[in-house]
Amino acid sequence: MRASILPAFGLLLACAATDGGSSTSTQPAGEVPEPSAQPAARPNILFVFSDDHATAAISAYGSRVNRTPNIDRLAAEGVVFDNVFCGNAICAPSRATVLTGKHSAANGVADNGDVFDGAQPHLASILQDAGYTTALIGKWHLKSDPTGFDHWEVLPGQGSYYEPDFLTSVGKLRRHGYVTDVTTDLAIEWLEGQRDADEPFLLMCQHKAPHRPWLPGPNQLGMYADAEVPEPPTLFDDYATRSSAAAAQEMEIDRHMYLFYDLCVPPADASVELHGPDRWTASSLARLTGEQRAALDATFAAENAAFRAAELEGRDLVRWKYQRYMKNYLRCVAGVDDSIGRLLDWLDDAGLADDTIVVYSSDQGFYLGEHGWYDKRWMYEPSLRMPLVVRWPGVARAGTRSALPAQNTDFAPTLLDAAGVAAPPDMHGASLVPALRGETPADWREDVYYEYSEVGIHAVEPHRGVRDARYKLIEFPGLAEWELYDLETDPEELRNRYDDPELAEVRARLSTRLRELAALYGGEAVPE
Ligand code: CA
């Protein structure tokens, strides 16, 4: 693996904000291999996607809480995109945007309750029509049956970490094992024996991990046992200066994270009344085999006993919950990283590495204790940012980074461009292939649009906004409240400066821009 010069956690945001909009920069310093192999005319595409994997938990993005050696390998052999932003930071909408190249209002999936209309053209169906053999394995989460795939085997809804059921075109099958391992096994089985080897392939290998509730796999249970995970500086945020929305949410580690469901601490007294998702945790754990359950229980038994004896309160309790949360989240991430290593090794062994584009991304970011939170949804940086690492031998300049402001609307146009297939003109995104080559595409956007409209879940107020290289404006139409951040001087977004006269011009400019972008991309879910 190449040595990397990585910006520190927190500083990364400042660097990214400063660099946003500039051309692709080379990193690390030193020799950068020039493309050598001739790229395949119709390359295979292996798209590995996870669920809720924040860039702050990827060492190629400067994580200070974990290492991800296989994603780092992909980064060293490909291009890391430092400024990729989702248009709507929840699972189903981001997935619909990745497929269609369109923001939520245009593809019809604005929240996790919407059903994806699989009749609309999308990445897989267009590639299938162009002669690609296509497969989807793992998390789907778009409610309708997948279209455009020659083969699909997907988790129902969120799926289960252990002994997962998979929906197929011929019915439901239960698979033995841990979901990340099983998904990888099924992907490799398809690559080895089921695909049409005469045609290029699109394989979307989409992991459930590291989605809540964070149940680690058997191979990762022993990780981080004695570690102390660094806390983010905003773990005890008081939401001062922000809109009333920030304080009104229900996604705090302190008040809204459940001991049994979220943190593997069963009630000491079985007769005690359980609340929230704790109520159904016992029944969901019942699907585990005796061996799987024993391994989980053994991992946490001593810690749980010490926790109960300590009777922690206040900030001490929050700190304990943060540690347990992060260790299980990072164990789930390590399983995904292992999967990537297995897939890269398979490509090497099959002699397909040079002919295959490999993409790693996740549907949106996540709060790893920033602002005291878990979950996503907000336009703030930790959930707005998506990881995007692309390896394409002969095209992508190995070991470089791109600061281009990208969105998940760009994924489909990029992969269609790479395959030599014209993207439908009504896609909102554009091809990042020039950026892979180290070039700045002509007339590239200078800002990105965001719109979140789900109501009720975690009590996050619907909002929309615009982010450019330095500033971010957020509107909460239902509250008639606004936030404005200078990301260069305030990368943690702690000082709302909407009413600051010094930023009056910025506020006016971005307010106009938000109206323009909302007219271009937005729906009517967030009223004026
Ligand atoms: Ca997600």
Side-chain angles (χ1 to χ4, degrees):
M1 192 177 71
R2 297 173 66 95
S4 294
I5 302 165
L6 296 167
F9 181 83
L11 290 177
L12 174 65
L13 303 183
C15 298
T18 307
D19 294 348
S22 68
S23 62
T24 298
S25 60
T26 300
Q27 186 280 336
E31 183 186 353
V32 175
E34 288 303 314
S36 53
Q38 284 296 317
R42 293 200 305 163
N44 304 308
I45 299 168
L46 171 58
F47 183 82
V48 186
F49 206 48
S50 64
D51 197 334
D52 296 357
H53 190 184
T55 55
I58 298 175
S59 35
Y61 281 91
S63 168
R64 60 175 202 147
V65 296
N66 69 332
R67 308 301 299 173
T68 46
N70 292 297
I71 298 174
D72 293 0
R73 175 188 164 191
L74 198 61
E77 296 170 353
V79 176
V80 176
F81 287 85
D82 275 321
N83 289 308
V84 183
F85 306 101
C86 60
N88 186 352
I90 41 175
C91 301
S94 181
R95 287 153 196 275
T97 292
V98 164
L99 284 171
T100 61
K102 296 176 182 175
H103 284 282
S104 299
N107 66 43
V109 180
D111 62 40
N112 281 335
D114 288 329
V115 179
F116 182 67
D117 172 10
Q120 62 187 310
H122 61 78
L123 173 65
S125 64
I126 296 167
L127 286 177
Q128 187 184 46
D129 289 344
Y132 272 64
T133 179
T134 56
L136 167 68
I137 312 279
K139 175 119 182 239
W140 169 242
H141 202 256
L142 289 173
K143 293 185 182 288
S144 53
D145 280 355
T147 58
F149 294 97
D150 299 311
H151 175 80
W152 52 270
E153 197 156 352
V154 300
L155 300 170
Q158 297 287 1
S160 300
Y161 271 113
Y162 280 89
E163 304 297 281
D165 292 328
F166 281 81
L167 304 176
T168 75
S169 55
V170 293
K172 186 158 77 174
L173 301 168
R174 182 164 295 193
R175 300 285 187 174
H176 174 56
Y178 182 67
V179 70
T180 307
D181 302 332
V182 173
T183 301
T184 311
D185 291 342
L186 293 172
I188 290 175
E189 275 176 31
W190 182 80
L191 286 167
E192 286 191 331
Q194 294 163 289
R195 71 189 164 94
D196 179 350
D198 295 331
E199 301 294 346
F201 66 79
L202 165 71
L203 170 58
M204 303 184 83
C205 176
Q206 307 202 145
H207 290 296
K208 167 184 174 62
H211 194 280
R212 184 192 188 204
W214 308 278
L215 280 189
N219 297 330
Q220 288 81 36
L221 284 173
M223 298 180 74
Y224 305 107
D226 300 316
E228 183 77 14
V229 182
E231 293 173 1
T234 59
L235 183 60
F236 297 102
D237 195 348
D238 61 4
Y239 315 118
T241 87
R242 263 63 59 82
S243 70
S244 60
Q249 45 61 42
E250 295 177 359
M251 48 186 272
E252 291 174 18
I253 293 172
D254 182 2
R255 296 186 298 151
H256 313 107
M257 183 173 265
Y258 291 83
L259 285 172
F260 194 13
Y261 178 75
D262 289 312
L263 299 173
C264 297
V265 183
D269 177 357
S271 66
V272 76
E273 185 186 358
L274 298 175
H275 300 281
D278 276 358
R279 287 170 297 169
W280 57 79
T281 305
S283 60
S284 66
L285 287 173
R287 70 188 299 123
L288 275 66
T289 67
E291 188 181 0
Q292 291 165 347
R293 186 64 197 268
L296 268 184
D297 289 347
T299 299
F300 302 116
E303 268 186 21
N304 287 350
F307 167 71
R308 291 192 190 100
E311 298 184 344
L312 300 173
E313 294 181 346
R315 291 193 170 193
D316 290 337
L317 177 58
V318 173
R319 292 197 151 104
W320 190 93
K321 291 169 80 175
Y322 169 77
Q323 290 295 322
R324 171 62 64 85
Y325 157 46
M326 284 301 297
K327 289 180 184 181
N328 281 346
Y329 177 92
L330 295 175
R331 289 162 176 148
C332 291
V333 166
V336 172
D337 190 70
D338 280 359
S339 165
I340 293 164
R342 287 184 60 200
L343 292 163
L344 294 181
D345 287 347
W346 186 89
L347 289 174
D348 287 342
D349 293 344
L352 290 176
D354 284 345
D355 300 330
T356 303
I357 298 172
V358 182
V359 178
Y360 179 69
S361 186
S362 188
D363 55 359
Q364 82 295 301
F366 211 70
Y367 292 90
L368 307 181
E370 298 96 338
H371 307 298
W373 296 341
Y374 66 99
D375 209 71
K376 51 257 184 177
R377 300 170 195 280
W378 296 94
M379 198 192 168
Y380 305 130
E381 296 290 286
S383 47
L384 182 68
R385 288 181 171 278
M386 302 168 71
L388 178 63
V389 184
V390 182
R391 185 182 81 174
W392 187 3
V395 176
R397 298 173 72 225
T400 63
R401 307 184 81 94
S402 172
L404 208 64
Q407 290 212 264
N408 47 353
T409 52
D410 300 326
F411 288 23
T414 299
L415 295 175
L416 291 171
D417 185 20
V421 179
D426 63 345
M427 282 189 173
H428 295 155
S431 173
L432 293 165
V433 168
L436 293 173
R437 301 182 194 275
E439 301 158 4
T440 301
D443 302 323
W444 194 258
R445 74 175 70 86
E446 294 180 353
D447 46 31
V448 297
Y449 178 68
Y450 185 85
E451 181 173 336
Y452 171 80
S453 60
E454 187 158 285
V455 173
I457 308 295
H458 289 291
V460 173
E461 180 71 23
H463 58 288
R464 60 186 175 184
V466 55
R467 183 203 193 281
D468 68 13
R470 178 166 179 177
Y471 297 102
K472 182 187 295 183
L473 178 72
I474 308 175
E475 177 187 17
F476 298 88
L479 302 174
E481 293 185 59
W482 298 75
E483 296 178 1
L484 176 63
Y485 297 101
D486 179 349
L487 300 168
E488 186 174 300
T489 59
D490 179 27
E492 308 284 356
E493 299 165 286
L494 299 175
R495 296 191 298 278
N496 174 19
R497 297 180 63 187
Y498 185 74
D499 291 323
D500 186 340
E502 273 187 30
L503 294 186
E505 284 182 25
V506 173
R507 167 177 152 173
R509 174 173 61 80
L510 288 183
S511 297
T512 301
R513 186 63 181 143
L514 178 55
R515 291 285 169 267
E516 291 170 0
L517 291 172
L520 268 176
Y521 304 132
E524 297 177 352
V526 180
E528 285 292 325

